[in-house]
Amino acid sequence: MMSVLTSFAAGYKSVTEAKDSTERSYNGISEKWNLTNYSLEEEKLRYEAELKSSSCSFCGRTILQITAMVGDEVRICNHCIDEFHEVMHQNDEETYQAIKTDARTSRGLLQR
């Protein structure tokens, strides 16, 4: 099995080379790296499941695709909030125009 770490060592010939390069920029960071016994496919599935478990309950966007997320059990992202806000204000304007039209019609009927 190929470890996930090995697959993400793009541009390097080995994990050791990737660790050494990273260590030069971030002293002590390579001690935090963990080798796994999972295949790349298994790790991708785990990662996707983790992202999905914290995705927007309405549109399914993940935290990598949004700016903000609100909620715990049920989550809503900034995109859905913006869309909801747009719809509510659009409906407010339509409702206002309908009420205004009804009021004019009612006044006309009452005056006859």
Side-chain angles (χ1 to χ4, degrees), residues 57-106:
S57 301
F58 297 89
C59 70
R61 287 183 180 103
T62 68
I63 55 174
L64 301 175
Q65 300 168 304
I66 56 133
T67 305
M69 183 86 70
V70 179
D72 293 320
E73 295 295 317
V74 176
R75 291 166 304 283
I76 186 167
C77 71
N78 59 296
H79 296 282
C80 289
I81 291 171
D82 291 345
E83 288 178 30
F84 175 75
H85 188 262
E86 242 179 72
V87 168
M88 290 305 294
H89 284 285
Q90 178 184 10
N91 287 345
D92 284 349
E93 183 60 30
E94 290 172 3
T95 302
Y96 172 74
Q97 292 301 328
I99 291 170
K100 206 163 119 179
T101 303
D102 286 349
R104 286 185 188 144
T105 306
S106 297

Side-chain angles (χ1 to χ4, degrees), residues 8-27:
F8 288 122
Y12 299 101
K13 294 177 183 170
S14 68
V15 172
T16 304
E17 187 180 330
K19 277 182 155 181
D20 291 344
S21 176
T22 305
E23 187 65 31
R24 284 191 293 276
S25 297
Y26 304 98
N27 189 23

